Amino acid sequence: MPITIKLQVEMSVEENGLEDALAEYDELNVNQLVAQILDKQIALEGIEVQVVEGPNSLEDYDKVREANG
């Protein structure tokens, strides 16, 4: 019987670390990246990942970076 666990995680990632991780896992956004990492580490019946604050892609990150000048 699957057990549902709901988490809220806040993390700070260095610019190079985010870019490298997205490239290594060949993912387009943070949602997919986190889902891949969790799925590879433990057997999951189902997984949903949602970024609720902060950039979800390198394009979003670039916009934040430009805005903060």
Side-chain angles (χ1 to χ4, degrees):
M1 173 178 86
I3 297 171
T4 301
I5 301 170
K6 186 173 184 176
L7 304 172
Q8 180 175 341
V9 177
E10 181 176 326
M11 60 185 178
S12 178
V13 181
E14 292 293 328
E15 178 180 343
N16 292 340
L18 177 60
E19 188 171 9
D20 292 348
L22 288 168
E24 180 178 338
Y25 281 89
D26 195 27
E27 296 299 342
L28 298 177
N29 59 48
V30 176
N31 289 342
Q32 294 169 331
L33 171 66
V34 173
Q36 281 288 344
I37 292 169
L38 291 172
D39 191 38
K40 289 180 186 279
Q41 298 304 315
I42 55 177
L44 298 173
E45 292 295 318
I47 183 168
E48 285 185 36
V49 177
Q50 180 180 9
V51 173
V52 294
E53 186 177 320
N56 188 34
S57 67
L58 289 177
E59 184 178 290
D60 293 345
Y61 177 79
D62 288 341
K63 289 177 185 175
V64 170
R65 197 169 135 201
E66 288 173 12
N68 292 333

